[in-house]
C-alpha cells in the first residue's frame, strides 16, 4: 500500500553531481525519519545519511561535505544532492522511510526500489 519511487540515478564523471529523489505514496499517517543507503557489489548495505522529522541530519563520514539531504513534507519526498562524486560512490542507492500507516499502527521501514549511481570517467 505504501510505495517509494526513486529517480535521478545515472552515469556521471568524477567530480560531477547528481540529485536523487524518493517520493512516498499510499496511506501514510505520519512520517518519522527518512534516509539514504547504498550498496556496492560484494559489500554490505551502508548508511549514507538520515534526516529526522525535526530536520536533524546524520551523515556518513565518507560523504560529509559533499552530499546534502533535504525533505519536502508536503510532497512526502526526500532528496539527496550529491556533489564532487567519486568512483567509490558508485553503488545502488536506496531510499528508506520510517512511517506510520495509521494512528495506532506500528512504525515500519519502507524501501525504494533502488537506483544505480555509477561514477566513472
Amino acid at each position: 500500500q505504501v510505495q517509494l519511487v526513486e529517480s535521478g540515478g545515472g552515469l556521471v564523471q568524477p567530480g560531477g553531481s547528481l540529485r536523487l529523489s524518493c517520493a512516498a505514496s499510499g496511506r501514510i499517517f505520519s512520517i518519522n525519519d527518512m534516509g539514504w543507503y547504498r550498496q556496492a557489489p560484494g559489500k554490505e548495505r551502508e548508511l549514507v545519511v538520515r534526516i529526522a522529522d525535526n530536520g536533524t541530519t546524520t551523515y556518513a563520514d565518507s560523504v560529509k561535505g559533499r552530499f546534502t539531504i533535504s525533505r519536502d513534507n508536503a510532497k512526502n519526498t526526500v532528496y539527496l544532492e550529491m556533489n564532487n562524486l567519486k568512483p567509490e560512490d558508485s553503488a545502488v542507492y536506496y531510499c528508506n522511510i520510517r512511517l506510520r500507516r495509521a494512528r495506532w499502527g506500528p512504525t515500519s521501514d519502507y524501501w525504494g526500489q533502488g537506483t544505480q549511481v555509477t561514477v566513472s570517467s
Side-chain angles (χ1 to χ4, degrees):
Q1 294 182 8
V2 175
Q3 186 175 15
L4 276 56
V5 179
E6 301 181 34
S7 63
L11 175 64
V12 65
Q13 293 182 322
S17 300
L18 286 173
R19 187 170 186 259
L20 308 182
S21 65
C22 174
S25 62
R27 182 172 179 81
I28 301 172
F29 178 79
S30 63
I31 294 178
N32 292 332
D33 57 321
M34 302 186 287
W36 292 91
Y37 294 72
R38 66 187 182 187
Q39 187 168 21
K43 295 185 178 180
E44 184 177 329
R45 186 176 300 186
E46 65 176 354
L47 171 69
V48 178
V49 60
R50 295 199 69 86
I51 182 168
D53 55 4
N54 64 1
T56 301
T57 56
T58 303
Y59 290 89
D61 289 339
S62 59
V63 307
K64 193 173 299 183
R66 300 187 298 119
F67 291 11
T68 302
I69 190 171
S70 61
R71 59 189 290 171
D72 186 334
N73 292 330
K75 297 181 179 180
N76 290 333
T77 300
V78 62
Y79 305 92
L80 182 65
E81 181 180 343
M82 303 182 292
N83 299 314
N84 191 24
L85 283 161
K86 304 175 180 180
E88 51 264 43
D89 294 319
S90 297
V92 177
Y93 283 70
Y94 297 92
C95 172
N96 172 265
I97 299 180
R98 292 183 58 81
L99 59 86
R100 291 181 182 270
R101 296 183 60 247
R103 174 65 178 86
W104 306 111
T107 298
S108 302
D109 282 292
Y110 292 85
W111 293 89
Q113 80 280 7
T115 184
Q116 178 70 53
V117 172
T118 302
V119 184
S120 176
S121 59

